[in-house]
Amino acid sequence: MIRTTVPTSVRKGSALVGIAGLFVLAGCSGTPAAEDTSNSGESSSAPSSSSTGSDSASGTYVDGTYTADGSYQTPESVEKISVTLTLADGVVTDVEVTGDPQARETEQYQGAFIDGIAAEVEGKSIDDLNVSRVAGSSLTSGGFNAAVESIKEQAAA
């Protein structure tokens, strides 16, 4: 006898696998939206938390200029950037980022990031820095955030 219908247990199992797959994919797609929301939330709440953060950070970090390197993974290679921050009372007064792009596309994204980073971080407490996307570049921010963590350790009083 040739069966022309799929057994109920196979159909139920396939349906469960499909639903589980949807939950996994929904979880993956929710992360970037959360990052974008937190980034816009940072910019709107930064002035009030910046003044509070600078009061508590004034005894935490030694004023000065600090440099650290950060790296991040792209689809083509591992890229590196160098970050120099000048701190006064725990607040970033100057930022300089230099890149060493290994791929042509990376050169474009690092350039856009470098052009836009000052507007995102100058005048903010170092404790409030956590960029997720600058001028369309989201991967470069990973290297920047890693360098900032290193600078926090260097500048700790």
Side-chain angles (χ1 to χ4, degrees):
M1 172 182 219
I2 298 176
R3 263 196 157 154
T4 58
T5 59
V6 178
T8 304
S9 60
V10 172
R11 284 187 286 157
K12 286 181 181 179
S14 296
L16 288 175
V17 169
I19 291 170
L22 287 175
F23 283 122
V24 169
L25 291 175
C28 292
S29 67
T31 303
E35 286 179 34
D36 291 343
T37 302
S38 68
N39 188 24
S40 63
E42 280 180 19
S43 62
S44 65
S45 66
S48 62
S49 64
S50 178
S51 61
T52 305
S54 64
D55 292 341
S56 63
S58 62
T60 308
Y61 299 104
V62 177
D63 292 353
T65 300
Y66 302 91
T67 300
D69 294 332
S71 62
Y72 59 97
Q73 180 71 45
T74 69
E76 296 84 24
S77 62
V78 174
E79 298 290 343
K80 296 179 184 173
I81 59 170
S82 179
V83 177
T84 301
L85 294 179
T86 301
L87 300 177
D89 295 326
V91 174
V92 177
T93 59
D94 190 37
V95 61
E96 182 180 329
V97 178
T98 54
D100 182 24
Q102 303 300 308
R104 188 169 49 104
E105 186 176 9
T106 301
E107 184 175 355
Q108 173 190 351
Y109 284 114
Q110 280 186 1
F113 183 90
I114 291 168
D115 290 343
I117 191 63
E120 295 289 325
V121 301
E122 286 182 2
K124 293 186 180 179
S125 169
I126 190 169
D127 287 325
D128 294 339
L129 297 185
N130 186 16
V131 297
S132 61
R133 183 178 299 245
V134 175
S137 176
S138 57
L139 297 178
T140 310
S141 60
F144 180 83
N145 290 334
V148 168
E149 289 303 315
S150 179
I151 288 171
K152 284 180 183 180
E153 292 173 10
Q154 293 174 35

